[in-house]
Amino acid sequence: MKSSETRASAVDLGRGLKLKSPVLLASGTVSYGEELSRLTDLSAIGGLVTKAISLEPRTGNPPQRIAETPSGMVNAIGLANVGIDRFIADKVPFLRKLGTSIIVNIAGRSIDDYAEVVSRLDAVPGLDAYEINLSCPNVKGECMIMGVSPDATRDIVQELRAITSRHLMIKLTPNVTSISSIALAAQSAGADSLSLINTVVGMAVDWKKRRPLLTNVTGGLSGPAIKPIALAKVWEVYNAVSIPVVGMGGIASFSDAMEFMVTGASAIQIGTMNFVQPDIGERVAKAMEEYFSSPDAPTLVEFKGSLLTL
Ligand SMILES: Cc1cc2nc3c(=O)[nH]c(=O)nc-3n(C[C@H](O)[C@H](O)[C@H](O)COP(=O)(O)O)c2cc1C
């Protein structure tokens, strides 16, 4: 594939986040890229979003943490991750060599936690953006509180904006009454872009054993089952804000990715489908580049949000 300057599908999300393709791989579905890099060419995609990083290492919830559901899965991993120290020492050197943009997903228990992680990462060269996860549905009493309140969202984004000059992408949960009011709060506090949707609260049950399939009982539903919900939320947020929207939820093909772009997304993320087709990001990125390179095609900017409605 061509370099970012010459690619027809390259996209600039602002504040230094220039992607050579609109295709990103979603947090928590590709870990820190090591395993996936053996199965696909990650330099073909726009970027990789890491698993959520927290101040301390976390083991997450006890198993069973994942269950398959019709057209999707529920997970209650609970933000298991290596913690900031090991991330910087062991994971960043490898991530930097992938030849794609690196977006670090961050989770915490308090504003101070997030602020500490962001200031530590700011001293590390070679990272392109932060995706702030305010919406982890599987960790009781933690960041979920921030992601469902416009005031709490404004407070944390304001605090992080004062610390970093790197691109701040704020990740939104669909598990709220009005996602656009949270989106507007993030925008007014200085967010550079918004990514959505995180998983939808869901549950799977074995009626014969009379047990939930997840030890946590509920989890986050992801995969093709949530695509119509995700499209509706992207449409709502796109019409409310002026900063770029990064869409995700159930994307399983080039066609799905284009549905999000025409609905208003400037870029997209692919999550659950990485478990099914490890090279899906590369394939969708190549298909998008081919489409937008065609002389008859609209430019990516013309195409974005050009959905025709009555
Ligand atoms: C196993 C798993 C782990 C996830 N971990 C994170 C995470 O650490 N941080 C985060 O912001 N989102 C996390 N997510 C949510 C995804 O990034 C994405 O928002 C969601 O799955 C919807 O996209 P999809 O339908 O393409 O998977 C996780 C999703 C899955 C399936």
Side-chain angles (χ1 to χ4, degrees):
M1 283 183 113
K2 297 174 188 169
S3 72
S4 64
E5 292 75 43
T6 50
R7 280 195 200 178
S9 60
V11 47
D12 186 347
L13 294 185
R15 205 182 284 269
L17 187 58
K18 290 186 179 162
L19 307 173
K20 54 183 158 182
S21 160
V23 178
L24 304 170
L25 302 184
S27 178
T29 63
V30 292
S31 194
Y32 310 102
E34 286 117 326
E35 295 83 1
L36 204 65
S37 68
R38 289 183 226 120
L39 303 169
T40 184
D41 175 15
L42 289 171
S43 74
I45 60 160
L48 181 149
V49 189
T50 69
K51 176 69 191 165
I53 301 298
S54 55
L55 208 46
E56 308 296 338
R58 299 172 67 135
T59 51
N61 292 324
Q64 185 70 28
R65 311 201 285 191
I66 282 182
E68 210 170 319
T69 56
S71 301
M73 61 185 274
V74 280
N75 91 81
I77 304 286
L79 299 179
N81 79 96
V82 295
I84 182 83
D85 291 333
R86 268 196 62 205
F87 175 70
I88 293 172
D90 300 347
K91 306 297 177 186
V92 173
F94 177 82
L95 285 165
R96 274 204 213 106
K97 287 192 234 145
L98 290 176
T100 194
S101 297
I102 301 303
I103 301 169
V104 185
N105 185 280
I106 299 172
R109 292 172 201 269
S110 63
I111 294 189
D112 288 350
D113 271 12
Y114 283 90
E116 172 86 25
V117 173
V118 166
S119 5
R120 300 269 303 275
L121 290 173
D122 258 5
V124 179
L127 304 173
D128 300 283
Y130 305 127
E131 182 179 61
I132 307 301
N133 178 9
L134 302 177
S135 53
C136 28
N138 311 310
V139 183
K140 290 192 181 79
E142 293 192 18
C143 49
M144 190 62 187
I145 298 158
M146 300 187 204
V148 298
S149 149
D151 288 344
T153 299
R154 194 176 300 109
D155 288 349
I156 186 164
V157 177
Q158 236 158 26
E159 175 95 14
L160 300 182
R161 180 74 291 156
I163 297 173
T164 186
S165 55
R166 279 188 174 150
H167 186 105
L168 276 178
M169 184 182 290
I170 307 301
K171 186 159 181 181
L172 306 178
T173 174
N175 305 313
V176 292
T177 311
S178 168
I179 196 166
S180 47
S181 56
I182 314 277
L184 284 166
Q187 174 177 267
S188 72
D192 297 302
S193 64
L194 302 165
S195 56
L196 60 142
I197 57 173
N198 209 317
T199 54
V200 179
V201 174
M203 188 167 162
V205 163
D206 181 336
W207 70 268
K208 289 181 186 153
K209 291 188 183 145
R210 302 188 192 190
R211 283 193 176 280
L213 295 190
L214 298 177
T215 308
N216 194 57
V217 184
T218 60
L221 178 64
S222 62
I226 68 169
K227 191 182 75 171
I229 300 172
L231 283 169
K233 300 295 177 195
V234 165
W235 177 241
E236 180 182 338
V237 169
Y238 171 69
N239 284 301
V241 301
S242 54
I243 53 178
V245 172
V246 178
M248 80 195 94
I251 295 178
S253 64
F254 160 69
S255 183
D256 288 341
M258 295 297 272
E259 289 174 20
F260 277 81
M261 304 287 292
V262 80
T263 301
S266 297
I268 56 103
Q269 296 188 16
I270 300 176
T272 300
M273 286 307 289
N274 290 302
F275 298 127
V276 184
Q277 281 174 43
D279 65 343
I280 184 166
E282 183 183 344
R283 288 210 262 151
V284 173
K286 285 182 173 162
M288 282 177 104
E289 177 59 18
E290 197 179 316
Y291 176 83
F292 286 110
S293 302
S294 149
D296 312 326
T299 65
L300 195 142
V301 173
E302 286 163 355
F303 183 71
K304 184 198 81 177
S306 61
L307 194 67
L308 303 171
T309 53
L310 290 176

